[in-house]
Amino acid sequence: MAEAAVVRGQATRQRLLEAAVQLVGEAGWNAVTTRMVAERAQVAPGVVHYHFSSVTDLLIAASIGFARELAGRLGEQLAEQPDLDGGIDWLLAETAGYSGHDPASLVMLEMYLASTRIPHLRDELAALVLDLRRTLAGWLAERGCTADVEAVAALLGAVIDGLVLHHHLDPGLDVAALAGPVRAMLRREQK
């Protein structure tokens, strides 16, 4: 009996997290309320506060979990890329899929913005960014990059974030076509 209650509780918590992520992308971080999350998750509003001490704590947990999953998938798929040039091509083609208007981009943009006001979110997001840089640096080193892989990883992370922002403002921007210039910069850095 107790085990079934734990499983139900975990399922409810997961529904709350998923609802929160959806709502952050749809309505914006500051517009999300307990009632909105409860309605989306199909639970009573009090259930939200049973699982999370505040809506902010829920939004942080939901968005960081979402971002970790996104970064994890990116790392796994990047690891499948056998060489630097092909990996850069893949990375920019993957980045092109984020228009700045899609749900994932919107959640990430809202999270970055909210992190300017919420120190705990900023700390969590900073840790996630550092993990992603380590993943990129490891991949670069394994593929024979002779440049300062940590610096190149920081640059690639900033390029990805910046291109999503630019793609949002300029939907006609062909992000995948920028792989050539990124590869050229990397080659110059390695000399």
Side-chain angles (χ1 to χ4, degrees), residues 76-150:
E76 290 169 6
Q77 292 172 338
L78 185 61
E80 296 171 3
Q81 308 309 310
D83 59 47
L84 283 173
D85 285 350
I88 297 298
D89 288 347
W90 175 85
L91 190 59
L92 274 283
E94 185 69 16
T95 302
Y98 297 100
S99 66
H101 299 282
D102 61 280
S105 295
L106 293 171
V107 170
M108 294 302 295
L109 291 169
E110 287 287 335
M111 185 171 42
Y112 270 103
L113 182 59
S115 76
T116 66
R117 296 178 306 278
I118 306 169
H120 178 66
L121 176 59
R122 182 175 41 252
D123 294 344
E124 291 283 334
L125 190 53
L128 187 114
V129 166
L130 291 174
D131 284 346
L132 181 58
R133 280 191 207 155
R134 279 191 281 277
T135 297
L136 288 169
W139 179 80
L140 288 161
E142 290 169 3
R143 300 309 180 277
C145 180
T146 57
D148 178 349
V149 292
E150 291 178 14

Side-chain angles (χ1 to χ4, degrees), residues 145-148 184-191:
C145 180
T146 57
D148 178 349
M185 285 190 320
L186 182 57
R187 275 194 217 86
R188 279 195 299 273
E189 178 67 27
Q190 292 191 85
K191 290 181 182 179

Side-chain angles (χ1 to χ4, degrees), residues 37-107:
V37 174
E39 285 175 8
R40 180 66 59 94
Q42 299 180 332
V43 298
V47 173
V48 175
H49 292 291
Y50 175 79
H51 288 276
F52 299 94
S53 61
S54 68
V55 172
T56 299
D57 287 344
L58 167 58
L59 297 180
I60 291 170
S63 62
I64 290 295
F66 175 80
R68 275 196 188 110
E69 185 178 310
L70 200 62
R73 276 197 316 267
L74 183 129
E76 290 169 6
Q77 292 172 338
L78 185 61
E80 296 171 3
Q81 308 309 310
D83 59 47
L84 283 173
D85 285 350
I88 297 298
D89 288 347
W90 175 85
L91 190 59
L92 274 283
E94 185 69 16
T95 302
Y98 297 100
S99 66
H101 299 282
D102 61 280
S105 295
L106 293 171
V107 170

Side-chain angles (χ1 to χ4, degrees), residues 161-182:
D161 288 344
L163 287 174
V164 171
L165 290 172
H166 282 248
H167 200 198
H168 171 76
L169 298 171
D170 178 7
L173 178 64
D174 186 353
V175 173
L178 300 175
V182 171

